[in-house]
Amino acid sequence: MALRIKSHWQNEARERSLPEIASALAFIAWRLALDQAINLHCERFTYASDAQRLLVIQEYLVFLLQTADRLSHDRLSDEDRRMLMIALAKKVVEHVQDNSLDLLGAGDYGTPFIERLNLRSDEYAAFQWDEQEPSYALLRHLGFEIQTLMGAAPENRWVIDQVMDRDGWDAYKKFTRALNELFE
């Protein structure tokens, strides 16, 4: 089943603030990351636990945050881009915290996510984007990180290929379309 993403404002005539756009993007990123985690399961890859599934979702969220940062580079001034990315990251952390609490119980889930985001941001900075698209090497890194999280079980042997060739691209394309539509 195809995931429907609502990325048009109800009252399109009204100007939106960067925090409003960031809030919508955070919700869209969460939905896309969750959809990609579900898709891996549908493709017969297995998760050992809900905690493991949430970590995979977080890897996709980090990738989508990097996508937002790269795509907003030419669209916004440095100050506006910084404001958008801070607001977006804060909203994504809220989604991670709230959904982790629901599934795993009490705990601080935001801080480890921020640490993951900072680590991956340094790693992703080393990769090129080809004409506003993630390079194959960047998608391979995303696939590698998800493969590492999902483990070496025989049924998860090809996760990296699934992420590189299909799921990473799918998430990127849907998120990019939503970002562009929210800024229209």
Side-chain angles (χ1 to χ4, degrees), residues 40-125:
L40 286 176
H41 182 74
C42 291
E43 292 292 330
R44 304 286 188 244
F45 298 108
T46 61
Y47 295 100
S49 65
D50 286 338
Q52 186 184 46
R53 185 185 322 261
L54 284 168
L55 290 174
V56 169
I57 290 169
Q58 289 178 28
E59 282 298 330
Y60 275 111
L61 288 170
V62 168
F63 169 70
L64 294 174
L65 282 163
Q66 291 300 310
T67 299
D69 188 45
R70 299 280 179 117
L71 294 175
S72 64
H73 183 267
D74 293 334
R75 179 183 301 270
L76 300 171
S77 69
D78 287 344
E79 181 59 28
D80 285 348
R81 179 173 153 224
R82 187 178 76 69
M83 188 185 326
L84 174 73
M85 293 310 301
I86 289 170
L88 176 57
K90 285 180 178 179
K91 282 296 197 181
V92 167
V93 168
E94 286 177 25
H95 285 293
V96 168
Q97 180 66 29
D98 291 346
N99 286 282
S100 298
L101 280 173
D102 288 346
L103 279 174
L104 306 176
D108 175 15
Y109 302 101
T111 302
F113 174 73
I114 292 168
E115 291 169 0
R116 177 185 302 277
L117 175 61
N118 290 335
L119 175 67
R120 294 289 180 268
S121 293
D122 288 343
E123 293 170 2
Y124 281 136

Side-chain angles (χ1 to χ4, degrees), residues 126-143:
F127 294 103
Q128 295 293 321
W129 280 60
D130 304 325
E131 312 230 353
Q132 293 294 74
E133 292 183 343
S135 65
Y136 189 76
L138 190 147
L139 288 168
R140 185 184 185 296
H141 187 67
L142 172 64

Side-chain angles (χ1 to χ4, degrees), residues 21-46:
I21 293 170
S23 182
L25 282 173
F27 180 74
I28 291 167
W30 177 264
R31 294 258 331 260
L32 286 170
L34 175 62
D35 187 59
Q36 296 312 316
I38 290 169
N39 188 60
L40 286 176
H41 182 74
C42 291
E43 292 292 330
R44 304 286 188 244
F45 298 108
T46 61

